[in-house]
């Protein structure tokens, strides 16, 4: 999965996007900020605290730590493929259904910037194009998103 704060097209992301190579732009203009440093980190943590329901976490924030505990939250570290290094994964956009169990949201490494809740939470998952060996570098074409 590609972790980060999810911004709708109309939401402010200017300061977070300056010099930020971890902004993922979805086909419909939704943005996911997968930077684990600076203002991006602060915004993600702030939204995480805002949306917490008592002891129930609404997202996974372990991807912000030195020791990643969620093996699903590594999408921001995928490198671009080249002619001599073909892609072994592609991106698939996914809107989390409203009926998704609340107790499982703690495993999703995404949080909405807006607390309005009018749009479903967007996630971007990696899909293997072939068998990927343990320890193998993940490569994708940055400009190919499967819809």
């Amino acid at each position: 999965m590609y972790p980060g704060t999810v911004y709708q097209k109309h939401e402010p992301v200017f300061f977070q996007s300056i010099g930020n190579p971890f902004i993922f732009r979805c086909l419909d203009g939704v943005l996911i900020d997968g930077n684990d440093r600076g203002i991006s980190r602060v915004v993600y943590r702030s939204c995480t605290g805002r949306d917490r329901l008592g002891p129930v976490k609404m997202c996974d924030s372990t991807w912000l730590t030195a020791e990643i505990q969620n093996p699903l939250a590594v999408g921001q570290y995928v490198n671009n493929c080249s002619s001599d290094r073909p892609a072994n994964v592609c991106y698939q956009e996914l809107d989390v259904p409203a009926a998704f169990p609340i107790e499982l949201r703690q495993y999703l490494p995404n949080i909405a910037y807006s607390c309005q809740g009018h749009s479903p939470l967007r996630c971007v998952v990696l899909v293997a194009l072939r068998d990927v060996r343990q320890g193998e570098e993940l490569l994708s074409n940055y400009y190919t998103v499967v819809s």
Side-chain angles (χ1 to χ4, degrees):
M1 297 185 79
Y2 195 95
T5 306
V6 180
Y7 295 86
Q8 297 302 315
K9 291 182 282 191
H10 63 278
E11 294 174 332
V13 69
F14 178 74
F15 288 110
Q16 298 91 313
S17 68
I18 297 174
N20 185 349
F22 296 101
I23 298 286
F24 186 98
R25 180 179 303 277
C26 296
L27 293 173
D28 62 357
V30 169
L31 302 174
I32 300 178
D33 181 0
N35 194 344
D36 61 359
R37 294 186 172 84
I39 193 169
S40 299
R41 178 188 183 98
V42 172
V43 168
Y44 189 89
R45 286 205 182 274
S46 175
C47 293
T48 298
R50 175 199 67 206
D51 290 357
R52 190 175 182 133
L53 296 174
V56 179
K57 295 178 182 177
M58 296 305 288
C59 66
D60 171 49
S61 60
T62 62
W63 66 276
L64 296 172
T65 64
E67 291 184 28
I68 296 174
Q69 298 171 9
N70 184 349
L72 300 177
V74 295
Q76 77 277 32
Y77 299 121
V78 173
N79 289 315
N80 201 21
C81 64
S82 64
S83 58
D84 60 325
R85 297 175 5 154
N88 53 16
V89 296
C90 66
Y91 298 104
Q92 172 70 57
E93 297 177 7
L94 169 75
D95 287 334
V96 178
F100 190 80
I102 199 164
E103 65 274 7
L104 296 179
R105 292 203 46 152
Q106 66 182 319
Y107 302 110
L108 299 178
N110 299 96
I111 191 94
Y113 175 75
S114 174
C115 61
Q116 301 300 321
H118 298 300
S119 301
L121 179 66
R122 173 68 49 86
C123 291
V124 173
V125 297
L126 298 171
V127 178
L129 298 173
R130 60 169 176 75
D131 287 341
V132 178
R133 297 181 310 276
Q134 183 175 350
E136 182 179 355
E137 181 179 15
L138 298 179
L139 301 166
S140 75
N141 182 329
Y142 284 171
Y143 304 104
T144 301
V145 178
V146 179
S147 60

